[in-house]
Amino acid sequence: MRNTIYRQIVFCIDAYRTWIEVADANLYKEHVISRSGRTDHLVSRTLVLRTYKAHGAYDKGTAWTIPEHELDKALAAYRKQNGTFKSRIKKGANYITAEDAENIIRLATYGVIRLELVVRPVYIPSKPYYL
């Protein structure tokens, strides 16, 4: 996964979080994966998400680690599912939206984590406040 895409996903989770936060985006961890009937050890970047308040069945402090190769698979699957995302991602990583980040995380965790990100509107007053 390109670093710019990874960082934009992390930014969206941090900026629009409601109950879960990015605990660590720079962790490198060893993972065991199965390839062609054999197991391999792989060191990869790992995204760590943690609840900062209780939500549903999850207590405060519950943490999940998501290996980068799972995020890669989710990104590829989401690219196939969503044609508009496919065209936006070709333009650059900064076109990833909060909804895209939420769907990628949901696919990478096999539906376990639903971020419920909220994009708050920017308030622009119709006239200057000092008048």
Side-chain angles (χ1 to χ4, degrees):
M1 174 178 287
R2 289 187 310 211
N3 190 49
T4 54
I5 293 172
Y6 182 79
R7 293 293 165 198
Q8 185 65 23
I9 292 170
V10 168
F11 169 79
C12 286
I13 295 169
D14 262 347
Y16 308 120
R17 66 183 187 237
T18 56
W19 64 280
I20 197 166
E21 65 186 353
V22 176
D24 193 352
N26 299 311
L27 176 67
Y28 281 82
K29 187 175 177 183
E30 184 177 11
H31 300 279
V32 177
I33 61 169
S34 178
R35 281 197 241 183
S36 305
R38 66 176 215 260
T39 57
D40 286 335
H41 295 269
L42 171 73
V43 175
S44 71
R45 186 166 40 182
T46 303
L47 179 63
V48 181
L49 300 177
R50 180 179 55 221
T51 58
Y52 64 89
K53 63 181 180 181
H55 181 78
Y58 305 115
D59 293 332
K60 180 180 177 180
T62 303
W64 297 270
T65 57
I66 307 168
E68 187 175 14
H69 65 272
E70 290 293 339
L71 291 170
D72 273 334
K73 289 192 310 188
L75 183 67
Y78 188 58
R79 195 179 276 144
K80 289 178 185 174
Q81 289 175 5
N82 190 327
T84 59
F85 173 73
K86 185 177 181 177
S87 62
R88 280 187 287 117
I89 198 72
K90 285 181 182 178
K91 294 178 185 177
N94 56 339
Y95 288 93
I96 294 175
T97 65
E99 181 183 351
D100 297 332
E102 190 163 350
N103 285 318
I104 292 166
I105 295 296
R106 182 182 46 79
L107 290 168
T109 60
Y110 302 93
V112 171
I113 300 175
R114 297 186 184 270
L115 297 174
E116 300 174 11
L117 301 177
V118 174
V119 179
R120 291 169 182 84
V122 176
Y123 175 71
I124 301 173
S126 57
K127 59 181 179 177
Y129 65 90
Y130 52 83
L131 292 178

